[in-house]
Amino acid sequence: MTSVLGILLPWRDLATLLAQTAMWSLLGIVLFAFAIWVMGKLSPFSLRKEIEQDHNVAMGIVMGAALLGLAIIVAAAISG
């Protein structure tokens, strides 16, 4: 490992690290899309209509909180 500005960087493993980052990013995007799809199917009304047309702030907060919770879970799973 070499040090650049006091940060240890494993230059030999750079390709592997970039591939792993791309894989985890793709997995996170797929999980977020799946979570939004599930929330849309489970709700008795149109989420898009509630948030975009009716300007339902509470629904936006609930959706944001659910996605933030999923992000915390994914980040914990990635970091081990």
Side-chain angles (χ1 to χ4, degrees):
M1 287 207 248
T2 59
S3 175
V4 176
L5 299 175
I7 301 171
L8 292 175
L9 299 173
W11 292 107
R12 293 183 195 131
D13 300 329
L14 185 61
T16 304
L17 292 173
L18 288 174
Q20 288 177 353
T21 300
M23 180 194 67
W24 284 114
S25 298
L26 182 64
L27 180 65
I29 291 169
V30 168
L31 282 175
F32 275 95
F34 181 71
I36 291 171
W37 179 78
V38 168
M39 285 188 274
K41 291 296 179 185
L42 292 179
S43 66
F45 43 81
S46 172
L47 294 176
R48 179 174 293 240
K49 179 184 175 293
E50 286 293 319
I51 293 173
E52 290 181 6
Q53 292 177 357
D54 297 342
H55 303 289
N56 189 342
V57 177
M59 182 56 60
I61 291 172
V62 168
M63 289 289 292
L67 294 177
L68 186 60
L70 180 62
I72 292 170
I73 293 169
V74 169
I78 291 172
S79 67

